[in-house]
Amino acid sequence: MNTTVRVRFAPSPTGHLHIGGARTALFNWLFARHHKGTFILRIEDTDTTRSTDEYIGAIIEGMKWLKLDWEEGPYRQTARFDVYRSYVDRLLQEGKAYYCYCTPEELEQRRQEALSQGKTPKYDGRCRLLKEPVPGKPAAVRFKMPQEGRTVLNDLVKGVIEFENNLLEDMVIMRSDGSPTYNFVVVVDDIDMKITHIIRGDDHVNNTPKQIHIYEAFGWTPPEFGHLPMILGADKARLSKRHGATSVMAYKDMGYLPDALVNYLVRLGWSYGDQEVFTRQELIQRFSLESVGKSAAVFNPEKLLWLNGQYMSNSDPKDLAELVIPFLEKEGIITDGRQLDREWLSRAVASLKERSRTLVELAHSLRYYILEYVDIDPKAREKFLKPDNIRILSELHEKLAGLPDFTAGEIEKIFVSIAESRSVKLGNVAQPARVAITGTTASPGMFEVMEIAGKEKILKRLSKVISGG
């Protein structure tokens, strides 16, 4: 591109960072990185009744967790009200805006009249030609929209979209209390921050023609626009809480990895052939708006869970060991992660990571490596811990107790010898032992599990089961 790319993610802090907002942030971030441009974080907090510092913090926390770093910001619109007023004054002086003295009650009455007559309920422009102020009435400021012709948007995702100008009303750009409105302040910010491309959800399409005319009123070439398709639930309704968690940080709490969520989000509307799993560097190299689809994307929690499992499986055990510690503490499996031997924990994690789809699942499985005793699944107990098998476990306990070298290889020899002496399959020894030691019927290789858990724990658990505990 001839110009240096400058894009912005501009959330309103009226809630946590959600899936749709995170995807918008990601597409802007990738576009900036791909073109070696600038990514700006701008907090659009002009809605002072709903915007809170808590939500600003939550949005920033979500961005940092997803590792979507920014070069400029976070800017806040509430810190720029004087700037917006100066831009309003400029439009008034140039005759491109005017004072409107219509009250909310009058506007609503006219709106209802228009609807009853089958007309479009838009402002009728009655204050547009006023020569003198109306004494004793507070005034809003309206922008003069063109009243004929068409506004043409060459959307980078949707293609050409045309709007009839006679359907655009003279919108309020500053309320009678002196506060600026959304469609005005975003244009002023984009001009001041020299934004070159606006990538946002397609719920903003109808705002675009209004904003284009404000850019042009200031003699500014509008940025290029790309409107992203919506994200829907499986029932094709707009994604909401009933489809599952929509807050990004909820996925952190559920044990998802940020890279997995980023990988999943980018595939909601963008594709590169049939490839499903991407490194961040691959995404940066291959991302383009030309590959963004025009139709809505469907959020599939099962697909995300599968993808997270792929990332878990391919992660370094040392990294997962650090990440899983808070989940071990939360589950009450450990009280202080600082006391855990990291090298030992990495070995335990390595044996489980391909079986775990989330950090929560990994933490749960680590129970049988860490706790002194485990709870045994009742069905597994009934099936595998019958009197005959208890006798096998007694012999196993006796031989393990005398084993000087408690390694997987030596443990396996004992299992094999017991199976041969009793003329049974190895599974007839290993499965009762697995239930007694892990509390479940599925685990990594039994001999490796026993070596990692350690001789002391293994003997205690076997003793407890043998004694009827």
Side-chain angles (χ1 to χ4, degrees):
M1 290 192 177
N2 296 327
T3 12
T4 301
V5 165
R6 289 176 62 83
V7 295
R8 43 64 161 191
F9 173 53
S12 297
T14 55
H16 294 273
L17 180 63
H18 55 82
I19 291 295
R23 185 192 62 168
T24 298
L26 172 60
F27 279 26
N28 277 281
W29 183 86
L30 287 171
F31 190 79
R33 295 291 171 269
H34 179 83
H35 293 290
K36 297 180 171 56
T38 300
F39 178 53
I40 298 166
L41 177 59
R42 188 170 83 208
I43 305 297
E44 298 192 337
D45 58 346
T46 52
D47 184 351
T48 53
T49 58
R50 296 172 61 214
S51 300
T52 68
D53 287 343
E54 178 191 353
Y55 286 138
I56 292 173
I59 288 168
I60 290 172
E61 182 186 19
M63 293 283 286
K64 287 182 175 179
W65 181 65
L66 291 172
K67 294 178 271 191
L68 302 179
D69 53 328
W70 53 91
E71 283 72 50
E72 294 183 22
Y75 298 116
R76 291 183 63 169
Q77 288 180 330
T78 47
R80 290 171 47 81
F81 274 22
D82 288 344
V83 174
Y84 306 137
R85 290 188 183 107
S86 71
Y87 273 79
V88 169
D89 289 342
R90 178 176 159 186
L91 290 178
L92 286 167
Q93 289 164 11
E94 294 176 1
K96 296 174 181 176
Y98 59 93
Y99 289 108
C100 175
Y101 298 90
C102 301
T103 66
E105 293 76 20
E106 291 168 342
L107 293 170
E108 179 58 25
Q109 182 183 348
R110 288 179 221 150
R111 180 178 175 277
Q112 293 300 331
E113 287 173 2
L115 286 171
S116 66
Q117 296 168 16
K119 297 178 181 178
T120 302
K122 55 174 272 192
Y123 180 63
D124 60 8
R126 66 181 58 196
C127 291
R128 186 172 179 137
L129 300 177
L130 282 180
K131 301 297 184 185
E132 300 292 335
V134 178
K137 289 187 77 173
V141 178
R142 287 185 184 269
F143 176 77
K144 288 183 179 178
M145 284 288 175
Q147 296 178 309
E148 55 187 32
R150 291 180 174 180
T151 303
V152 180
L153 168 64
N154 292 303
D155 194 276
L156 297 171
V157 175
K158 294 181 171 295
V160 176
I161 308 173
E162 295 188 1
F163 304 87
E164 297 292 338
N165 288 340
N166 62 10
L167 297 178
L168 302 177
E169 70 174 2
D170 289 354
M171 68 178 185
V172 173
I173 57 175
M174 183 166 283
R175 302 178 186 92
S176 58
D177 65 1
S179 62
T181 60
Y182 167 79
N183 275 307
F184 181 69
V185 298
V186 295
V187 171
V188 173
D189 288 342
D190 291 338
I191 291 172
D192 278 2
M193 297 171 192
K194 297 179 171 60
I195 300 299
T196 61
H197 296 77
I198 294 174
I199 303 166
R200 59 188 181 184
D202 64 6
D203 52 332
H204 285 283
V205 166
N206 288 333
N207 288 327
T208 306
K210 306 170 191 174
Q211 293 170 4
I212 285 173
H213 291 297
I214 300 175
Y215 289 114
E216 292 174 343
F218 288 113
W220 189 264
T221 301
E224 293 191 66
F225 289 87
H227 288 92
L228 308 174
M230 291 175 64
I231 302 175
L232 306 178
D235 58 359
K236 301 301 190 295
R238 186 166 185 165
L239 190 67
S240 66
K241 289 181 180 178
R242 74 172 183 275
H243 299 111
T246 58
S247 161
V248 163
M249 295 309 286
Y251 285 92
K252 179 187 179 186
D253 294 341
M254 290 189 291
Y256 285 79
L257 302 179
D259 285 349
L261 186 54
V262 161
N263 192 152
Y264 184 73
L265 288 175
V266 81
R267 291 286 287 109
L268 287 175
W270 177 86
S271 62
Y272 185 83
D274 295 328
Q275 188 171 343
E276 291 285 354
V277 182
F278 298 84
T279 64
R280 286 203 185 222
Q281 200 51 44
E282 285 176 324
L283 289 176
I284 290 169
Q285 289 171 356
R286 295 169 181 172
F287 184 80
S288 71
L289 289 177
E290 289 79 9
S291 298
V292 174
K294 292 181 174 63
S295 56
V298 176
F299 188 83
N300 183 340
E302 287 301 316
K303 184 76 173 287
L304 172 57
L305 188 58
W306 169 83
L307 189 60
N308 201 67
Q310 298 298 303
Y311 273 81
M312 293 280 293
S313 180
N314 293 321
S315 292
D316 187 318
K318 291 181 180 177
D319 294 337
L320 288 180
E322 290 299 328
L323 292 172
V324 81
I325 286 173
F327 292 90
L328 292 171
E329 292 174 337
K330 187 177 178 181
E331 294 264 324
I333 297 169
I334 59 172
T335 54
D336 187 354
R338 291 172 297 182
Q339 298 176 0
L340 271 181
D341 181 329
R342 294 303 197 271
E343 188 175 340
W344 173 84
L345 182 59
S346 296
R347 285 181 62 210
V349 165
S351 74
L352 293 166
K353 67 190 185 86
E354 293 184 8
R355 295 169 168 267
S356 305
R357 296 174 299 173
T358 67
L359 291 167
V360 170
E361 288 184 6
L362 178 59
H364 187 79
S365 296
L366 283 166
R367 286 174 180 272
Y368 53 72
Y369 284 124
I370 297 171
L371 297 176
E372 193 164 299
Y373 296 106
V374 293
D375 294 326
I376 297 176
D377 177 75
K379 290 183 180 178
R381 180 189 291 275
E382 184 181 351
K383 184 174 181 179
F384 292 104
L385 299 183
K386 294 177 179 177
D388 286 349
N389 289 336
I390 296 296
R391 286 190 281 273
I392 291 175
L393 295 180
S394 295
E395 183 179 352
L396 179 64
H397 180 278
E398 183 183 343
K399 291 192 173 183
L400 290 174
L403 188 63
D405 188 10
F406 205 75
T407 62
E410 294 302 311
I411 293 167
E412 182 179 7
K413 289 176 185 177
I414 288 177
F415 273 77
V416 170
S417 70
I418 292 174
E420 288 177 348
S421 68
R422 291 176 173 267
S423 299
V424 297
K425 294 179 180 178
L426 186 59
N428 291 82
V429 182
Q431 197 62 357
R434 176 176 281 107
V435 172
I437 290 165
T438 70
T440 67
T441 56
S443 75
M446 202 58 237
F447 316 127
E448 182 186 14
V449 168
M450 293 171 70
E451 179 184 338
I452 295 170
K455 185 175 182 178
E456 184 181 350
K457 287 195 195 87
I458 298 304
L459 292 178
K460 281 183 177 180
R461 290 178 197 169
L462 287 173
S463 294
K464 187 177 181 183
V465 169
I466 293 164
S467 64

